[in-house]
Amino acid sequence: MALEPEQIVRLEEDRVVLLDQRRLPEVVVELECRSAAEVAAAIRDMAIRGAPAIGVAAAYGYALAARRGGDLEEAYRVLAESRPTAVNLTWALREMLDDPTPERARELHREEVERCRRMASHAAELLAPRTRALTHCNAGALATGGYGSAVGALRTAWERDLVEHVLVDETRPLLQGSRLTAWELEQIGVPHAVIADSAAASFMAAGEVDCVITGADRIAANGDTANKIGTYGLAVLAAHHRIPFCVVAPTSTVDLSTPTGSGIPIEERAAAEVSARSPARNPAFDVTPAALIGAIVTEDGVHRAPYTESLAGVVARA
Amino acid sequence: MALEPEQIVRLEEDRVVLLDQRRLPEVVVELECRSAAEVAAAIRDMAIRGAPAIGVAAAYGYALAARRGGDLEEAYRVLAESRPTAVNLTWALREMLDDPTPERARELHREEVERCRRMASHAAELLAPRTRALTHCNAGALATGGYGSAVGALRTAWERDLVEHVLVDETRPLLQGSRLTAWELEQIGVPHAVIADSAAASFMAAGEVDCVITGADRIAANGDTANKIGTYGLAVLAAHHRIPFCVVAPTSTVDLSTPTGSGIPIEERAAAEVSARSPARNPAFDVTPAALIGAIVTEDGVHRAPYTESLAGVVARA
């Protein structure tokens, strides 16, 4: 059974309740946030993660602050600054400004999941029968608040009998692939195998990968795409092996105000996530140049290069 | 203080004693092997690993069997079959056939370390001042029985004031980079930082990597090189970013009887090393085509393409 949107994040009377993703799937526990600041902390500490999902959580956090008569400017600030790379935070908060109600936040959540279903359908049309896909990180229901972007596409494609197998990058350092994507694929029933991130190249060389499909944290106007660290390397490797590389993300992830990837802030997280005892560098995201991306699929359809043109009309209609 | 050869593996009266590398550096403990079969188990279970180091351990195990009057054919077989990819096992055992004494095994160990010093000197000549290197897995003293191959080269280069910084791939699934290479660089005093394997590409794109330098588990006659999983992907990424990619390994790693990389057996280890709960694939090695390798450095000097010619005269003189 796939995860339902309200299992992932929801607004109750006086709190935002979310499935704590940090120790899934071993430990299935909910986290209760009783203020916008607590929602921001949950986002910062990655109890909830994934660009569309943290946008939804921020919307709920803002609605919670409004209902409690809190300082809405402060709520906006703390939620918007909880993580720097995904544009969905500020997008969702801006959407909430005129109508900071629970109903509006729930509508935004519902529409984000509906976008996933639509983009999944578009993306599935790109896949041939018996596709052996490779995906990175978790672009599943947990990352979007329901259904998923890249994993949603694989889910729809699986239901259309187009998917043979999915290789899942474990996705160090926090193992979102090994912990979350493998769990979601198991729930949906899709045959899969986890691999060390560094093994992707050899599976490509062995002809065991027909396409690489990932989500996105922010897409610049020219198509440059920030996503979980490791995505850029996969795109280079896919190009080297002539394997299609495809990004699936809702329009809430597209940031037309950022012309190119060089304008996307890249979060560097604590060294301790990588090593408990040695100096370490821990960029959480990287930027894949548009030239390496074969298609960007949103709920509007399949966008192709030149992305500056094909993405020009894209607006997230919440 | 760098590790001494006899700290890594040695033959005592009735046993082979080796530094157990599985839980280093947190747990520093020696493992005692009282038969060739126990040495083979230590190799198989990766208490000792690294192509030259397991060759040395096998030589000691064989000498131990000879001293105890054991079945030498069986000792040869169990040691040779303990792991499939590195050619050093059979090389070292063949070297022991005519003179299976402790003295011969110790000589072979001493010569393997001496090879490392010589190849390190050759490799250091390739590096410009202020080099920022990236390395994968552990090609250090622990991997070779002393001094190291790729890490030995960085050590010599550091002593010649040529190294500014080393990025260390953590090297999943067993973290030989994060646990062993970072520990060795700390002992030598070389500035370093551990990174997730998948982060290498973004550091290359940012211009923070001047060269990639790794060891090898087996080098075919045409220069195709088997090494820890992830090496091939790094070589593709290095080529994409026009960064020199260099292999440092003793001639005991060169297998002229295997014409190309397709003839090198690739060990697939237990899925549980990658994931405790999901299906997983776990190839322990990959093959980097010679075309992606800028130089192969042995104790004889720097070999360049075409490797079929430049490696043709290479013989490990033990």
Side-chain angles (χ1 to χ4, degrees):
Chain A
M1 287 292 294
L3 289 160
E4 293 301 322
E6 60 275 14
Q7 290 179 277
I8 297 161
V9 59
R10 67 183 179 274
L11 181 63
E12 295 189 351
E13 196 57 34
D14 58 346
R15 60 199 154 190
V16 175
V17 181
L18 52 90
L19 187 58
D20 190 332
Q21 299 186 24
R22 288 170 294 188
R23 293 167 64 200
L24 284 177
E26 282 77 14
V27 180
V28 181
V29 63
E30 289 187 336
L31 183 71
E32 302 193 339
C33 304
R34 292 176 184 271
S35 66
E38 286 186 18
V39 173
I43 293 170
R44 191 172 52 243
D45 299 341
M46 297 180 68
I48 186 166
R49 29 64 53 200
I54 63 179
V56 170
Y60 282 135
Y62 193 75
L64 179 64
R67 171 183 279 185
R68 307 182 110 206
D71 178 344
L72 284 185
E73 246 177 76
E74 172 64 11
Y76 189 104
R77 191 193 61 74
V78 71
L79 287 163
E81 293 176 1
S82 56
R83 291 192 75 191
T85 300
V87 74
N88 308 61
L89 286 173
T90 48
W91 171 81
L93 288 165
R94 278 200 205 108
E95 289 292 322
M96 293 294 293
L97 281 178
D98 288 343
D99 179 15
T101 61
E103 292 69 31
R104 180 73 191 92
R106 289 193 186 103
E107 182 183 47
L108 190 144
H109 187 182
R110 209 162 41 237
E111 288 172 344
E112 202 67 329
V113 177
E114 179 53 29
R115 279 190 193 91
C116 285
R117 291 183 180 275
R118 293 217 302 281
M119 66 182 129
S121 184
H122 294 308
E125 283 172 31
L126 299 177
L127 303 185
R130 307 193 58 181
T131 287
R132 296 157 306 165
L134 184 149
T135 190
H136 189 67
C137 196
N138 172 261
L142 289 161
T144 60
Y147 205 81
S149 50
V151 175
L154 293 170
R155 176 177 171 179
T156 295
W158 168 252
E159 287 164 0
R160 294 182 191 170
D161 205 17
L162 298 172
V163 175
E164 180 172 308
H165 190 267
V166 179
L167 286 174
V168 179
D169 273 3
E170 62 174 354
T171 317
R172 287 280 296 163
L174 298 180
L175 300 170
Q176 291 95 335
S178 174
R179 294 188 300 107
L180 308 179
T181 299
W183 189 52
E184 290 195 29
L185 291 173
E186 181 187 320
Q187 290 169 340
I188 306 166
V190 181
H192 62 281
V194 176
I195 61 172
D197 301 319
S198 72
S202 68
F203 285 102
M204 291 182 187
E208 297 189 39
V209 179
D210 300 312
C211 75
V212 178
I213 183 165
T214 75
D217 285 83
R218 189 187 303 213
I219 300 170
N222 74 338
D224 291 352
T225 295
N227 193 45
K228 174 58 53 191
I229 189 74
T231 305
Y232 165 58
L234 281 180
V236 172
L237 294 169
H240 180 82
H241 295 93
R242 301 178 189 283
I243 295 167
F245 179 89
C246 171
V247 169
V248 184
T251 51
S252 54
T253 306
V254 178
D255 178 14
L256 296 180
S257 73
T258 297
T260 72
S262 65
I264 301 176
I266 297 298
E267 177 181 9
E268 180 137 358
R269 294 183 61 85
E273 285 181 357
V274 173
S275 171
R277 65 175 300 284
S278 294
R281 297 284 304 275
N282 186 18
F285 303 93
D286 57 27
V287 174
T288 300
L292 294 173
I293 302 173
I296 295 174
V297 182
T298 70
E299 71 272 19
D300 289 344
V302 177
H303 307 269
R304 303 279 191 180
Y307 294 106
T308 306
E309 293 171 22
S310 61
L311 292 175
V314 161
V315 181
R317 286 167 293 271
Chain B
M1 288 291 296
L3 289 160
E4 294 301 321
E6 61 275 14
Q7 289 179 278
I8 296 161
V9 59
R10 66 182 178 274
L11 180 64
E12 295 189 351
E13 195 56 35
D14 59 346
R15 61 200 154 191
V16 175
V17 182
L18 53 88
L19 187 58
D20 190 332
Q21 300 187 25
R22 288 170 293 188
R23 294 168 64 201
L24 285 177
E26 282 76 14
V27 180
V28 181
V29 64
E30 289 186 336
L31 184 70
E32 302 193 340
C33 305
R34 292 176 184 272
S35 67
E38 286 186 19
V39 173
I43 293 170
R44 190 172 52 244
D45 300 340
M46 296 179 70
I48 187 166
R49 29 63 54 199
I54 64 178
V56 170
Y60 282 136
Y62 194 74
L64 179 64
R67 172 182 279 184
R68 306 181 111 206
D71 179 342
L72 284 185
E73 248 176 74
E74 172 64 11
Y76 189 103
R77 191 193 59 76
V78 71
L79 287 163
E81 292 176 0
S82 56
R83 292 192 74 191
T85 300
V87 74
N88 309 61
L89 285 173
T90 49
W91 171 80
L93 289 165
R94 279 200 205 109
E95 289 291 323
M96 292 295 294
L97 280 179
D98 288 342
D99 180 14
T101 61
E103 292 68 32
R104 179 73 190 94
R106 289 192 188 104
E107 182 185 45
L108 190 145
H109 187 181
R110 209 162 41 237
E111 288 172 343
E112 202 67 331
V113 177
E114 179 53 30
R115 279 189 193 91
C116 286
R117 291 183 180 274
R118 293 216 301 280
M119 67 182 130
S121 184
H122 295 308
E125 283 171 31
L126 299 177
L127 303 184
R130 306 193 59 180
T131 286
R132 296 158 306 165
L134 184 148
T135 190
H136 188 68
C137 195
N138 173 261
L142 290 162
T144 60
Y147 205 81
S149 50
V151 175
L154 293 170
R155 177 176 171 180
T156 296
W158 168 253
E159 287 163 0
R160 295 182 191 169
D161 205 18
L162 298 172
V163 176
E164 180 171 310
H165 190 267
V166 179
L167 287 175
V168 179
D169 273 4
E170 63 174 354
T171 317
R172 287 280 295 164
L174 298 180
L175 301 170
Q176 291 95 334
S178 174
R179 294 187 301 107
L180 308 179
T181 299
W183 189 50
E184 290 196 30
L185 291 172
E186 182 187 320
Q187 290 169 339
I188 306 166
V190 181
H192 62 281
V194 176
I195 60 171
D197 301 319
S198 72
S202 68
F203 285 103
M204 291 182 187
E208 296 188 39
V209 179
D210 300 312
C211 75
V212 177
I213 183 165
T214 74
D217 284 82
R218 190 187 303 213
I219 300 171
N222 74 337
D224 291 352
T225 295
N227 193 46
K228 174 59 53 191
I229 189 73
T231 304
Y232 165 58
L234 281 180
V236 173
L237 294 169
H240 180 83
H241 296 93
R242 301 176 189 284
I243 295 167
F245 179 89
C246 171
V247 170
V248 183
T251 50
S252 54
T253 305
V254 179
D255 178 13
L256 296 180
S257 73
T258 298
T260 71
S262 64
I264 301 176
I266 298 298
E267 178 181 9
E268 180 138 358
R269 294 183 61 85
E273 285 182 356
V274 173
S275 171
R277 65 176 300 285
S278 294
R281 297 285 304 275
N282 186 17
F285 303 94
D286 57 27
V287 174
T288 301
L292 295 172
I293 302 173
I296 295 174
V297 183
T298 70
E299 70 273 18
D300 289 343
V302 177
H303 307 268
R304 303 280 190 180
Y307 294 106
T308 306
E309 293 171 23
S310 62
L311 292 175
V314 161
V315 180
R317 286 167 292 272

